[in-house]
Amino acid sequence: MPYRHAHYYVLFVLAVIGLGFWPSYFSAIGHVPWQFHAHGIAASLWVILVATQSWTAHHNQLPLHRTAGKASLFLFPFLIAGLCAIIDVTAKGYVSGEGPVRSLFGASFLGGLLVAVAAYVTLYYRALKYRRTVWVHAGYLLGTPIILFESPFSRIMTDFLPAFAIRGPQDFPKIMATILWADALSLAFCAAVWLRYRDRANPFLVTGGFVALQMVAMGMMGQAAWLWRALRVIGEVPSASVVATGFAVGAMTSWAGWNAGKRKAVTGGAVAMGV
């Protein structure tokens, strides 16, 4: 089986999530918007599921592996819904004038989040479609925690690295710097995996492409007028509609990916010919 130590790397991402979101989420869990819960719970469960998939595949636990895989079909809509919940709270905060950070980086955040949605949908769809080709299936599924890595790791940088500490409004540009550095680290990891395994690791090139696109969206499109307009429009839409849209996208991805990966039916003529 490919990537036999992958579950340790995925658990590392889980530890990064715990540390990165401790100040803003876990330590204040009773005082945060519901959108944070929607994203935090779904994303954490998703990372645990990916680690479980990797561990079971390498420890001769294939029945449990298949069960967890089928469970992912039901979890994935909640993952995308949770991500759209973060889009919603970002847009609502911008429209209401909640804090200067969203006023400075709202469009960049929206651009990065939209790329993340596209990345999750693409990677998971292809993981399902190629689930009978182990290298391809594993590569695409293991790419999903990489998309998540940037957000908590950038927070670790601001919390624990003095050079990136936010001491006042004059340091707000460091927020974007930490995001880009975290994405650069993710991109370097994708490149390292591909350089080791080459063509067998082509799914990591796809993941790396999305990470690079996210860097462009967040680092270079922060002044795009259409993103600011989109942010305002989303801010005026009911939260339930934004989250439901994400859930529908996730559900359609699960359905389409599962059906795309089904074995093709053998025709009667092919059976008669011994194919």
Side-chain angles (χ1 to χ4, degrees), residues 35-253:
Q35 292 95 331
F36 285 18
H37 296 307
H39 174 58
I41 293 171
S44 298
L45 288 175
W46 183 263
V47 175
I48 293 170
L49 185 144
V50 173
T52 300
Q53 284 290 82
S54 176
W55 185 88
T56 53
H58 291 96
H59 289 80
N60 198 30
Q61 299 290 328
L62 292 184
L64 180 57
H65 180 83
R66 295 189 184 100
T67 299
K70 291 177 181 178
S72 74
L73 296 169
F74 300 95
L75 179 58
F76 190 75
F78 290 96
L79 177 69
I80 303 302
L83 202 57
C84 286
I86 296 301
I87 292 176
D88 177 71
V89 76
T90 300
K92 297 294 189 292
Y94 168 68
V95 169
S96 66
E98 183 183 306
V101 174
R102 289 193 176 106
S103 297
L104 285 171
F105 302 118
S108 296
F109 292 163
L110 178 60
L113 287 164
L114 291 175
V115 171
V117 170
Y120 281 126
V121 166
T122 301
L123 296 176
Y124 184 58
Y125 171 83
R126 294 181 72 81
L128 289 174
K129 181 178 180 179
Y130 297 107
R131 61 185 180 270
R132 304 184 195 283
T133 308
V134 292
W135 277 92
V136 180
H137 168 71
Y140 280 121
L141 192 62
L142 290 170
T144 55
I146 296 173
I147 302 299
L148 181 64
F149 179 80
E150 165 271 311
S151 185
F153 191 78
S154 63
R155 285 166 170 78
I156 289 175
M157 293 178 70
T158 59
D159 289 339
F160 295 99
L161 297 181
F164 294 102
I166 308 300
R167 299 181 179 87
Q170 73 278 4
D171 293 322
F172 285 164
K174 294 179 181 179
I175 295 173
M176 188 55 59
T178 61
I179 290 171
L180 296 177
W181 274 110
D183 267 339
L185 186 59
S186 297
L187 192 59
F189 179 80
C190 290
V193 174
W194 186 83
L195 287 171
R196 179 172 181 179
Y197 297 106
R198 298 292 178 166
D199 289 349
R200 291 178 296 178
N202 280 344
F204 283 90
L205 291 181
V206 178
T207 302
F210 277 112
V211 173
L213 182 60
Q214 189 175 63
M215 293 177 74
V216 171
M218 300 194 74
M220 301 177 64
M221 297 181 65
Q223 301 305 316
W226 69 271
L227 278 174
W228 286 109
R229 288 195 297 270
L231 194 66
R232 181 164 292 279
V233 169
I234 295 170
E236 301 292 347
V237 173
S239 297
S241 298
V242 178
V243 176
T245 298
F247 189 91
V249 169
M252 287 188 291
T253 303

